[in-house]
Amino acid sequence: MEKTIYETVVEIKETDGLHMQPAMRFVDLANQFSCDITVSNGKDTVDGKSIMQITMLAAVRGTKLTIRAEGTEAEKAINALREFLEEQISDEKGQDKQENLKNE
Amino acid sequence: MEIKKGIAVSPGISIAKSLIIDSEDYRIPRRSINPSQRITEIQRVRNAFRDAISELTELEQAQDQTGGGRIKDIFAVHLRYLRDRSLRRKVTDLVHSESITAEYAVSSVLRQIAAHFSGLKDHYISERAADIYDMERRLLKQLLGHKKENIEHLSEEVAIVARELSPTQTASFNKNFIKGLATDAGGRTSHTAIVARSLGIPAVVALEDLTEIVRGGDTVIIDGNRGIVIVNPDDETIKQYQEYSREFIELEHKLDAIKEEPAITRDGVKVTLLGNIEFPDEAESVLQKGGDGIGLYRTEFLYLNSPTEPTEQDHYDAYAETVRVFKHRPVIIRTVDLGADKYTQSKRFAPEPNPFLGLRSIRFCLQNLTMFKTQLRAILRASVLGEVRIMFPLITNQQEMMQAKMILRDVMEDLDEESIAYNKDIQVGIMIETPSAALTASTLARDADFFSIGTNDLTQYTLAVDRGNELVSTLYSAADPAVLRLIRTVIQDAHKSQIDVAICGETASEPEYIMLLLGMGIRTLSLTPPMIPEIKQIIRSVNIENCNNVAREVLSMNSERQISSYLRNAARKILPEAF
């Protein structure tokens, strides 16, 4: 199987940062992919599929997160996660999006 | 098997599985295990996670039906945490590397995470520490025994193990299933001891670190005669104790055989034995044990048992139930003694720096007249059903007593206006529990129909010793010359004014004090029901002449130690099997 590594940097813009609820959805999304996913805030690098590790990163507003995916569908995973983080940034629209996600 | 020595505070033997009760801020102590036990402990961690997940899944689904969106979201996050393999691995790795119990590993990992969150500057994220503590509690509940939070709904026999028991905790006990109590803290007159004796179950206190040794579900033997607790006994020990327990029950039966006999000394002096009770259903046990009535009906439990303040009808129903059992024998109802270590649900006191010297007991009632009057009305209404008497606790001066009596008269007038029947000649007495009341007993006796000496508080206030503080509890003794001299004063002043004087503290149920009290002139004792037969047996074995000599000797002694050992020796000659 082809080994691929993809990486992207996203800045958290949401007022409350990547708190419990968005972290949960982030992790749920990450777990849909079989590739390894890590998230780094520049200081610590953690498993993107572990809610404990993601929340302990304490990514507040303004934090720049480096997401790195390695393995099958790595590119797809990176795009989905970046999209999620960027989408849920903008307050009102983000809320609607979250509602939709929950209803699915 | 591990043997712990403490203070025996309530007789009997129990062999049962343990149930550990914690207070909210309880910390799981660090306990090491043998490396060979690590596999078992790791399995316990996994089981705890698995069971916590299924419990939480059920909770989450229940939320679905009732449509609580916010709470459901929180549970969803908790569920993902519990399913997080890296969290579980952190816990199992700690068990493995440090050789510690599952409980301690769970607690330290989750508290470490919580501390990480609380340490963050961002307010929103730091608040998440509360979520982590909630998960910790959920996991510990699985590890410490499933019934931890369900003391009210017990379905099998257990022995309660706790750091210390509060009145609120014991009020919710299902008494049918609790076979024994064992606590780290406490002394002879601690709340645990009083409750155990009133329930007639064995109890051992002051075991220091018992909660660090016992795990939920371990078998424990509580030996309330010798003050020993044995954790995870071997088969041989269990067999020995079953035998010992049988012998003890036989002695009890032998004592029960004299329950129909009167409490009369060998030279024909009659002594009245009354029971101290907390719950109406204990009234029956006073009769069964051969008591002549109720000398102290504690009424705080009406407040501590229920989430709302009791209504007049709640009071009345409880009193009526008890009075009907005794018909024309006395039932002395003590008005609420809240405050200090007992709190009402709806009226939380502002924390006082020195609660035993603060707003408690009659002082609290005199500042909460609506509550006080509700109780007095109920007592008066019940007074037509039998021989009801009223007793005011913690009186410290004449003015307090007059105030309380004035309020009682107000309530009587209200009842007159409403044409509600009550006993107009109801006897009103006071408890003598403070040095000030003891020293002014001659004044107080003019307006009181009877005295009842509460030796527990009288000892604590006279000697300035907190009976629950292990560091100084050895100084606490009713055999102290200062306490005994105050008791003598009270008895003499009561006799001069020709009013009744009783003892209702723990002293009345301690075999070694009986000869002394009789010798000092006491003819009424009010005590915990299970001890009535034993005390009666002592009374039937002595004559007053000997008791008078004991009292004379003791009152000339100047040290507590000398008095205690003299009393023990004197009593041992009378009833050897009780010691």
Side-chain angles (χ1 to χ4, degrees):
Chain A
M1 201 182 285
E2 185 203 355
K3 275 267 171 191
T4 42
I5 300 174
Y6 284 85
E7 209 176 82
T8 186
V9 179
V10 187
E11 187 182 333
I12 300 295
K13 292 194 178 132
E14 188 174 80
T15 329
D16 290 337
L18 192 61
H19 60 83
M20 287 288 184
Q21 294 300 331
M24 175 177 96
R25 280 189 284 275
F26 180 90
V27 171
D28 283 354
L29 189 56
N31 274 296
Q32 288 173 14
F33 299 97
S34 60
C35 53
D36 290 334
I37 297 169
T38 61
V39 180
S40 169
N41 62 0
K43 210 172 93 206
D44 300 307
T45 302
V46 301
D47 183 353
K49 294 181 178 182
S50 158
I51 187 162
M52 174 188 78
Q53 298 184 31
I54 289 289
T55 48
M56 284 179 80
L57 266 190
V60 294
R61 186 180 189 174
T63 311
K64 286 199 177 77
L65 293 180
T66 307
I67 308 168
R68 187 185 157 96
E70 182 175 347
T72 322
E73 293 189 311
E75 186 180 11
K76 219 175 143 192
I78 282 294
N79 289 334
L81 291 169
R82 187 186 51 224
E83 195 185 328
F84 170 74
L85 288 178
E86 282 172 349
E87 286 289 311
Q88 66 111 18
I89 294 161
S90 53
D91 33 60
E92 299 291 323
K93 258 182 287 165
Q95 283 297 325
D96 291 345
K97 266 263 154 48
Q98 285 171 36
E99 286 304 317
N100 291 337
L101 265 174
K102 208 197 301 174
N103 294 336
E104 269 160 24
Chain B
M1 181 163 103
E2 190 149 357
I3 300 175
K4 289 290 298 176
K5 186 103 185 68
I7 303 173
V9 292
S10 180
I13 312 287
S14 81
I15 307 171
K17 293 255 183 280
S18 65
L19 175 64
I20 299 175
I21 299 183
D22 312 325
S23 57
E24 271 297 293
D25 57 352
Y26 182 72
R27 279 182 177 274
I28 298 293
R30 186 191 172 95
R31 245 191 81 204
S32 300
I33 53 170
N34 279 330
S36 62
Q37 286 175 276
R38 288 186 301 205
I39 294 169
T40 323
E41 288 303 298
I42 287 170
Q43 193 53 49
R44 288 183 69 227
V45 171
R46 296 208 176 104
N47 292 348
F49 272 89
R50 186 197 60 208
D51 295 344
I53 287 169
S54 68
E55 184 188 89
L56 198 51
T57 310
E58 262 175 48
L59 270 173
E60 197 206 9
Q61 279 160 4
Q63 287 297 330
D64 238 356
Q65 284 147 13
T66 51
R70 173 93 184 95
I71 295 177
K72 200 186 148 239
D73 285 351
I74 293 172
F75 284 163
V77 171
H78 288 196
L79 263 176
R80 278 166 185 75
Y81 252 88
L82 293 174
R83 290 201 187 111
D84 191 329
R85 278 197 209 97
S86 63
L87 171 63
R88 210 176 327 164
R89 204 175 313 120
K90 235 174 138 91
V91 178
T92 51
D93 283 355
L94 196 64
V95 171
H96 195 264
S97 63
E98 303 278 310
S99 291
I100 49 171
T101 57
E103 288 89 341
Y104 186 70
V106 161
S107 185
S108 44
V109 166
L110 284 153
R111 276 170 192 238
Q112 193 192 326
I113 298 172
H116 172 83
F117 281 121
S118 355
L120 295 170
K121 279 193 206 79
D122 184 86
H123 174 65
Y124 200 87
I125 295 182
S126 68
E127 272 187 356
R128 302 283 65 82
D131 287 294
I132 308 295
Y133 284 124
D134 197 50
M135 292 177 223
E136 183 206 2
R137 272 196 294 275
R138 196 175 299 286
L139 288 166
L140 288 178
K141 195 174 96 186
Q142 302 300 333
L143 288 167
L144 292 169
H146 291 257
K147 290 152 238 101
K148 179 176 166 250
E149 283 176 352
N150 296 323
I151 320 163
E152 295 147 71
H153 312 295
L154 288 176
S155 55
E156 57 179 19
E157 299 186 343
V158 292
I160 301 283
V161 174
R163 166 110 195 97
E164 188 157 38
L165 290 169
S166 71
T168 318
Q169 284 170 322
T170 54
S172 60
F173 278 175
N174 178 335
K175 285 162 264 151
N176 295 326
F177 293 110
I178 292 180
K179 294 295 143 187
L181 305 177
T183 60
D184 291 353
R188 270 205 73 77
T189 50
S190 64
H191 181 75
T192 305
I194 292 169
V195 166
R197 273 178 296 222
S198 73
L199 296 180
I201 58 174
V204 179
V205 302
L207 290 151
E208 286 167 355
D209 59 349
L210 182 70
T211 50
E212 296 179 27
I213 294 162
V214 181
R215 284 197 316 220
D218 281 354
T219 298
V220 289
I221 295 176
I222 298 178
D223 179 346
N225 300 338
R226 287 182 279 211
I228 292 169
V229 171
I230 303 171
V231 183
N232 287 324
D234 54 35
D235 293 347
E236 183 60 28
T237 312
I238 292 182
K239 215 181 285 166
Q240 275 174 14
Y241 262 93
Q242 282 166 341
E243 187 134 326
Y244 177 41
S245 170
R246 255 195 305 280
E247 284 169 17
F248 182 73
I249 291 166
E250 268 171 35
L251 169 68
E252 280 204 314
H253 284 171
K254 212 173 91 193
L255 290 170
D256 278 348
I258 63 160
K259 79 166 194 203
E260 302 295 336
E261 308 288 332
I264 291 181
T265 61
R266 284 162 65 185
D267 46 353
V269 173
K270 165 93 177 98
V271 178
T272 304
L273 291 180
L274 305 171
N276 292 349
I277 64 165
E278 291 178 1
F279 313 103
D281 58 2
E282 285 176 284
E284 204 59 57
S285 77
V286 174
L287 272 191
Q288 274 167 22
K289 293 287 176 184
D292 302 314
I294 302 294
L296 171 61
Y297 187 174
R298 301 184 175 99
T299 55
E300 298 75 66
F301 286 75
L302 283 164
Y303 292 82
L304 301 170
N305 252 337
S306 106
T308 54
E309 209 163 282
T311 61
E312 184 186 326
Q313 196 59 33
D314 294 335
H315 280 281
Y316 177 82
D317 291 343
Y319 307 150
E321 190 185 333
T322 308
V323 175
R324 286 199 183 101
V325 171
F326 285 92
K327 301 191 180 76
H328 292 289
R329 281 178 278 191
V331 173
I332 300 176
I333 301 176
R334 179 179 72 182
T335 58
V336 286
D337 188 21
L338 292 168
D341 55 345
K342 303 178 204 116
Y343 298 87
T344 61
Q345 310 288 322
S346 61
K347 282 197 196 303
R348 293 223 175 268
F349 303 94
E352 293 174 295
N354 210 341
F356 277 96
L357 304 183
L359 184 63
R360 62 171 295 210
S361 201
I362 194 74
R363 303 167 182 178
F364 180 70
C365 288
L366 292 174
Q367 289 190 27
N368 290 273
L369 289 183
T370 317
M371 182 194 92
F372 192 35
K373 284 183 167 180
T374 302
Q375 181 176 32
L376 292 175
R377 259 181 84 98
I379 298 175
L380 287 172
R381 281 174 53 205
S383 69
V384 293
L385 302 171
E387 177 56 34
V388 175
R389 296 172 197 172
I390 296 177
M391 179 157 75
F392 297 127
L394 205 79
I395 294 290
T396 48
N397 59 49
Q398 192 195 19
Q399 199 195 337
E400 256 170 358
M401 180 175 61
M402 301 314 281
Q403 239 180 305
K405 287 186 77 170
M406 198 178 72
I407 291 154
L408 180 66
R409 267 195 303 278
D410 284 351
V411 177
M412 286 177 165
E413 280 169 21
D414 292 345
L415 290 175
D416 285 336
E417 276 169 28
E418 296 166 51
S419 306
I420 296 172
Y422 64 91
N423 174 13
K424 289 186 164 53
D425 301 317
I426 190 164
Q427 284 199 31
V428 182
I430 59 169
M431 285 190 76
I432 305 285
E433 303 176 89
T434 59
S436 66
L439 293 165
T440 57
S442 58
T443 313
L444 297 172
R446 287 184 218 142
D447 296 293
D449 293 318
F450 60 90
F451 284 161
S452 192
I453 306 176
T455 48
N456 303 0
D457 271 337
L458 184 61
T459 306
Q460 136 161 306
Y461 287 129
T462 303
L463 303 176
V465 174
D466 174 1
R467 60 200 194 195
N469 181 342
E470 295 130 282
L471 302 173
V472 292
S473 57
T474 50
L475 295 172
Y476 176 94
S477 167
D480 191 282
V483 179
L484 294 178
R485 281 174 208 179
L486 286 177
I487 293 175
R488 180 180 57 178
T489 304
V490 176
I491 296 169
Q492 286 173 346
D493 287 342
H495 286 171
K496 273 183 218 153
S497 302
Q498 296 182 308
I499 65 169
D500 284 344
V501 55
I503 300 274
C504 70
E506 297 303 311
T507 319
S509 60
E510 285 172 24
E512 57 265 42
Y513 283 94
I514 303 306
M515 291 181 82
L516 171 64
L517 294 174
L518 296 181
M520 287 167 87
I522 289 290
R523 295 293 178 266
T524 305
L525 296 168
S526 189
L527 59 151
T528 176
M531 286 300 290
I532 292 176
E534 191 171 331
I535 299 303
K536 188 191 276 182
Q537 171 75 348
I538 292 172
I539 292 167
R540 292 173 57 81
S541 316
V542 301
N543 61 57
I544 288 294
E545 191 54 42
N546 289 348
C547 295
N548 290 344
N549 288 337
V550 167
R552 230 185 334 267
E553 280 288 325
V554 164
L555 288 167
S556 70
M557 293 176 184
N558 294 314
S559 95
E560 188 276 329
R561 191 174 298 180
Q562 193 188 4
I563 294 171
S564 285
S565 76
Y566 178 85
L567 289 178
R568 225 178 349 254
N569 286 334
R572 202 172 279 150
K573 285 179 205 150
I574 301 299
L575 189 66
E577 66 264 41
F579 294 90

